[in-house]
Amino acid sequence: MSRGGMLDGCTVLDMSTLFAAPLAATLLADHGADVIKIEHPRGDDLRHWGPRKDGHALWWKVVNRNKRNLAIDLHHPAGQEVVRRLAGTADVLISNFRPGRLDAWGLGWSVLHELNPRLILAEVTGFGQRGPYSGLPGFGTLAESMSGFAAVSGEQDGPPLLPPFGLADGIAGVTTAFAVAGALWARERSGVGVRIDTALYEPLMWIVGSHLVEYDQLGIVQERMGNKVPQIVPRNAYRTSDNQWVALSGAAQAVTARLFAIVGRPDMVEDSRFATNAARLRHRDEIDSILGKWIGERTQQEVVTALRQGDVAIAPIYDATHILADSHFRDRGSIVQVADDDLGMLQMQGVFPVVDGRPGSVRWSGNSHIGADTTSILSGLGYSDAEIQAMHGQGAVAGSRPPASQEGEGRDDADR
């Protein structure tokens, strides 16, 4: 019988904004962690990004799913004290403030570690906690520029290409979630939490591949190649007769041999120009011309069917319309439907990776209301209704509050 997620019972404070660090918290929440989203009373900037429907930011609904919402002004001493109370029993705190900001608020590593030695602090910044650039503002665009990604992306005779989505942020978010999981395991043995320092550019620098060691050892600077890669041929995107696209890869010699046979050129595996990958690299354009002609005479479905039947790595190039219509993604849970109080049913990315017996789930979508859970969270920390009302009046917190009939009455916990 299926149980909850792997992180059931783990409490995470998500004190971050926009995408990279919040994504790390989302992944932990998907796998069962109780994540409290702490944001400024004016709201996370992600609430104002991207397309909206009926006034509700759609990307916010996805990135902040499975999270409870607490609105605090961290510049206010009472707000800082709320975080200290939460951190005293939490397992993880995730932040993406610039180095030194948490210390200025009395919420730095030394304070939190003394308060709760088991707490894990994960900080995501543009350039990390130390180094000459550590104090600079950092966004994914800068990471994509300085990691080497943009330099190798795009057509050979075109400009460097930046991705039209948060690539660096996404990879840094997944990496940080991995680091938190490792820290939780280490804590089980040591009993002590650790501090995690993620710089946005570092995971992407790894993902870009072998360009650094190739330059270090051979003096080779990887150039832009469009949809091609320097290591293997064939590998490209090809247009079909119905004006659709497919992508294929011949990373293995046996796959390439089967591909050549399917397109009617079994002789190519015996031709010295095409017999090995090293030879194919020198004759890339000829191979692309042969494959492009065969593919261009057939529809996308015909190409995909023929190559899949021949056990060749082929895929149609999808946009959102194709992804949401593909039964494989729905059957596997790659796409899920989530009930939303504001917009009805939403379709969004599912939980990954898949874990047998502890699959995790998307339990609710991101709440559009800033501080929707402020009162319940503060009450759980032992604050009275009168104290909560006072903090609202001071501007230390925002969002939900006790009913007006209870204002100033100082009800105790039994009355909530």
Side-chain angles (χ1 to χ4, degrees):
M1 179 177 179
S2 176
R3 296 178 289 169
M6 296 182 293
L7 295 175
D8 284 359
C10 179
T11 299
V12 177
L13 308 181
D14 176 11
M15 210 161 65
S16 59
T17 61
L18 295 177
F19 183 38
L23 174 61
T26 303
L27 299 178
L28 302 176
D30 285 354
H31 286 284
D34 175 21
V35 176
I36 298 173
K37 171 72 176 181
I38 300 173
E39 57 181 320
H40 192 279
R42 67 172 175 267
D44 188 325
D45 285 343
L46 191 63
R47 290 182 180 274
H48 311 292
W49 279 27
R52 308 170 75 83
K53 182 179 179 182
D54 299 336
H56 301 289
L58 298 177
W59 192 220
W60 171 268
K61 293 285 188 182
V62 180
V63 176
N64 286 282
R65 68 195 193 189
N66 291 336
K67 299 177 184 179
R68 296 192 285 155
N69 296 87
L70 171 62
I72 298 177
D73 185 349
L74 292 172
H75 297 86
H76 197 289
Q80 297 162 7
E81 177 58 25
V82 171
V83 174
R84 281 189 285 269
R85 287 201 195 186
L86 285 168
T89 57
D91 296 288
V92 181
L93 190 153
I94 298 175
S95 163
N96 66 346
F97 295 107
R98 287 199 211 181
R101 186 69 58 83
L102 289 181
D103 294 287
W105 289 331
L107 299 172
W109 170 243
S110 60
V111 172
L112 296 178
H113 187 64
E114 182 176 359
L115 178 69
N116 178 4
R118 290 177 57 82
L119 181 71
I120 294 161
L121 175 62
E123 296 176 282
V124 183
T125 58
F127 297 99
Q129 296 295 312
R130 64 180 186 273
Y133 300 152
S134 61
L136 297 178
F139 293 97
T141 298
L142 309 188
E144 289 145 7
S145 300
M146 296 180 69
S147 64
F149 173 83
V152 300
S153 299
E155 296 297 331
Q156 188 170 21
D157 56 352
L161 189 65
L162 294 166
F165 59 93
L167 177 64
D169 291 89
I171 294 174
V174 175
T175 303
T176 301
F178 155 75
V180 168
L184 288 168
W185 168 246
R187 193 186 67 181
E188 288 304 302
R189 292 174 292 167
S190 68
V192 178
V194 297
R195 186 182 187 186
I196 296 165
D197 176 8
T198 302
L200 283 179
Y201 70 90
E202 286 176 335
L204 185 55
M205 184 181 287
W206 232 108
I207 298 298
V208 171
S210 58
H211 63 135
L212 297 182
V213 71
E214 289 171 0
Y215 174 73
D216 176 63
Q217 294 297 305
L218 301 173
I220 296 174
V221 176
Q222 184 174 334
E223 298 178 350
R224 293 186 286 283
M225 304 179 66
N227 291 313
K228 304 167 187 175
V229 292
Q231 296 87 2
I232 59 169
V233 173
R235 194 270 198 174
N236 212 330
Y238 303 89
R239 191 192 299 268
T240 59
S241 64
D242 53 348
N243 203 34
Q244 299 297 310
W245 292 84
V246 296
L248 66 81
S249 174
Q253 180 71 16
V255 172
T256 300
R258 291 194 294 269
L259 171 63
F260 288 161
I262 291 170
V263 302
R265 294 294 307 273
D267 59 293
M268 290 177 67
V269 294
E270 305 297 334
D271 189 316
S272 60
R273 295 172 298 169
F274 314 125
T276 66
N277 187 64
R280 291 191 291 273
L281 290 172
R282 297 190 295 271
H283 299 278
R284 185 191 304 271
D285 291 342
E286 295 171 68
I287 294 172
D288 275 339
S289 177
I290 293 168
L291 296 179
K293 181 177 185 302
W294 186 89
I295 291 171
E297 294 170 349
R298 293 160 176 80
T299 67
Q300 184 189 67
Q301 186 59 55
E302 289 171 338
V303 173
V304 171
T305 298
L307 269 62
R308 283 182 174 171
Q309 288 178 345
D311 200 21
V312 171
I314 182 77
I317 291 182
Y318 277 0
D319 60 24
T321 63
H322 305 108
I323 293 171
L324 293 181
D326 193 304
S327 61
H328 175 85
F329 296 154
R330 199 169 305 282
D331 290 346
R332 182 175 165 80
S334 306
I335 300 295
V336 295
Q337 286 192 324
V338 183
D340 180 75
D341 291 340
D342 303 308
L343 300 174
M345 296 302 296
L346 303 178
Q347 295 188 87
M348 61 179 66
Q349 299 92 324
V351 178
F352 75 95
V354 175
V355 180
D356 287 347
R358 303 297 295 269
S361 63
V362 181
R363 301 178 294 284
W364 63 85
S365 57
N367 199 311
S368 292
H369 306 288
I370 297 172
D373 303 293
T374 293
T375 292
S376 62
I377 293 171
L378 294 179
S379 297
L381 289 173
Y383 287 94
S384 69
D385 289 346
E387 289 174 315
I388 296 172
Q389 290 295 343
M391 292 168 70
H392 275 284
Q394 298 164 359
V397 302
S400 61
R401 64 176 73 195
S405 62
Q406 296 181 11
E407 290 190 20
E409 295 181 7
R411 300 293 183 98
D412 62 22
D413 289 347
D415 290 324
R416 291 187 204 101

